[in-house]
Amino acid sequence: MLVAANTARRGAKAAAAAPPAADLRLMVAQLFDTHAATTASRRRGLIELRRLHAAAASASGSAVLAAFHDAVWACLLHIVKARRGAAVDKCELKFFEALDACPAIINHIGAENDDEAIKALGSKLMDSFLPRLARGFAAKSPTVRFRSCQLVALLLNYVTELDDDLHQALREALLQRINDKDAVVRLHAGLALSRFQGPPDDKDEEIFAVLLNMMEGDPSAEVRKSLLWNLDICEASLNALLIRCRDCDPSVRKMLYQ
């Protein structure tokens, strides 16, 4: 009873503290900018974002929660546009290091509360980001394609289930990216697709066959190595995995024995 009362008081406090939708973008951007760059302050920033998220969800109407989603998305856009490699400047690097922030907020909410309504907040946040990121798969810029695939692969680590339409849309879009001319795009598209393999008793045979072919024939050693680590080990994949001990790249051969 005491725990329930405390939870109710925290919820009432969060509801009372719900900021205006117009202020959310600045508040979220400041939290990302202040706390995403250093490990020491990242947890504090995530807790503040979690409180802001809960407050937005408890506000009357859906406008404030939608504004929170848009505010976090605006920060993720800085990651999508950040160049890869050593050429990124300090500001872009801060947002790049914030890659873990969005899933960690969701994970933090789920770990702290067993309430299904609270857990649903993370699912709504994911559902708002994944379709937007999928639009970046077909961008002309290889950086945008790379970052979009990278973020989707990261977010899928924290998703337990997807809407059927979203699942199919992501699946088809990622299947197109495995033939991208940029190896780093193929690598992250393969990582994301590995989340679609399915359980052993209900495996997606098309996805499994595509990943198997990538591991065997992709010209990039990094792509082959990544799939060697992420491909499900089963009777159908065992022979192909063992053949990697004769891979022309020593890092792939080393990965097989790890």
Side-chain angles (χ1 to χ4, degrees), residues 233-245:
I233 300 176
C234 61
E235 185 177 353
S237 64
L238 187 58
N239 186 57
L241 290 168
L242 292 175
I243 289 176
R244 289 304 97 207
C245 71

Side-chain angles (χ1 to χ4, degrees), residues 209-241:
V210 164
L211 295 175
L212 202 60
N213 287 336
M214 287 181 72
M215 185 189 68
E216 293 177 324
D218 195 279
S220 168
E222 290 301 315
V223 174
R224 298 197 303 276
K225 186 165 61 174
S226 172
L227 290 171
L228 181 63
W229 184 261
N230 288 281
L231 193 69
D232 287 347
I233 300 176
C234 61
E235 185 177 353
S237 64
L238 187 58
N239 186 57
L241 290 168

Side-chain angles (χ1 to χ4, degrees), residues 91-230:
C91 181
E92 290 171 332
L93 187 58
K94 283 185 179 181
F95 282 103
F96 178 75
E97 290 179 351
L99 271 172
D100 290 333
C102 175
I105 298 167
I106 297 160
N107 191 43
H108 180 76
I109 293 171
E112 190 179 77
N113 271 293
D114 291 330
D115 185 2
E116 291 299 323
I118 297 298
K119 290 182 180 181
L121 288 177
S123 297
K124 290 180 181 179
L125 195 60
M126 289 290 191
D127 290 344
S128 73
F129 290 158
L130 288 172
R132 302 186 197 190
L133 287 169
R135 292 199 291 268
F137 291 172
K140 290 184 178 180
S141 168
T143 297
V144 174
R145 297 198 306 273
F146 155 56
R147 293 292 186 206
S148 298
C149 290
Q150 184 183 44
L151 281 166
V152 166
L154 181 68
L155 293 176
L156 286 176
N157 287 326
Y158 298 87
V159 173
T160 54
E161 61 181 57
L162 285 173
D163 175 81
D164 289 343
D165 292 337
L166 179 56
H167 180 282
Q168 188 63 23
L170 284 174
R171 183 182 181 277
E172 292 178 359
L174 288 167
L175 282 171
Q176 294 179 6
R177 286 305 98 209
I178 63 171
N179 295 314
D180 197 280
K181 62 183 179 181
D182 197 317
V184 74
V185 177
R186 299 197 304 274
L187 187 153
H188 288 284
L191 279 176
L193 272 177
S194 69
R195 310 294 184 259
F196 289 84
Q197 293 179 83
D201 57 344
D202 188 25
K203 191 172 292 297
D204 188 322
E205 296 297 339
E206 182 183 2
I207 295 292
F208 184 73
V210 164
L211 295 175
L212 202 60
N213 287 336
M214 287 181 72
M215 185 189 68
E216 293 177 324
D218 195 279
S220 168
E222 290 301 315
V223 174
R224 298 197 303 276
K225 186 165 61 174
S226 172
L227 290 171
L228 181 63
W229 184 261
N230 288 281

